[in-house]
Amino acid sequence: MEGHGDQTMLKPSVILTGTAKEGSSGPPIGLVDIGVSEGAYLFRVALPGVRKDRSKVKFEIKSDGKVQIEGVMTGPGFLKESSAMYQMKVQQLCPPGPFTVSFKLPGPVDPRLSSPSFRPDGILEVVVMKSRAQPTVADSHPPL
């Protein structure tokens, strides 16, 4: 494809806070993939162990392309499965508590034109349209 070699690999600057920063082993939280098309960006963020129904994940996309994802990692020291109660002796997943993941898309976007999906495999996937003009609006999304 012509012009394909001109594209450089994007390496977003990702900032983790809260318990996402403390997790040192196990599947890492906050890994980000960003895709670019002519009219939109696609981003995928790894949130392993985050359950859509319990974590109250929300995100904000600003018109300059800044994305902030917030949530609460659930996971008490005790786990109840059916009739058995388990006390966690080894815990390598992100510890319980609030977390944020922040990064910036390669260019300006229209935050009103986004399509989020929280996949069952713990991946937050969002398509957001590129901005044709420079809007000044930020769009906060409700918990997924």
Side-chain angles (χ1 to χ4, degrees), residues 39-41 61-66 104-111 128-135:
Y41 297 111
I61 303 173
K62 296 192 176 176
S63 58
D64 66 355
K66 184 175 181 192
K104 192 164 182 183
L105 296 169
V109 296
D110 186 341
V128 61
M129 300 304 291
K130 291 180 178 179
S131 177
R132 295 181 192 258
Q134 296 284 340

Side-chain angles (χ1 to χ4, degrees), residues 18-89:
T19 60
K21 187 175 178 180
E22 295 172 26
S24 59
S25 35
I29 194 168
L31 292 180
V32 177
D33 287 343
I34 297 175
V36 181
S37 75
E38 188 175 317
Y41 297 111
L42 161 83
F43 63 85
R44 294 180 182 145
V45 181
L47 301 172
V50 174
R51 291 182 54 179
K52 175 173 125 172
D53 58 336
R54 293 188 186 167
S55 300
K56 306 221 183 329
V57 174
K58 65 179 183 173
F59 66 96
E60 179 180 32
I61 303 173
K62 296 192 176 176
S63 58
D64 66 355
K66 184 175 181 192
V67 177
Q68 182 162 319
I69 301 163
E70 298 177 349
V72 177
M73 179 66 74
T74 57
F78 291 92
L79 180 64
K80 180 156 175 60
E81 290 292 330
S82 64
S83 62
M85 177 76 83
Y86 298 93
Q87 181 178 6
M88 303 307 285
K89 295 294 186 184

Side-chain angles (χ1 to χ4, degrees), residues 11-25:
K11 182 80 171 157
S13 175
V14 178
I15 300 166
L16 304 175
T17 65
T19 60
K21 187 175 178 180
E22 295 172 26
S24 59
S25 35

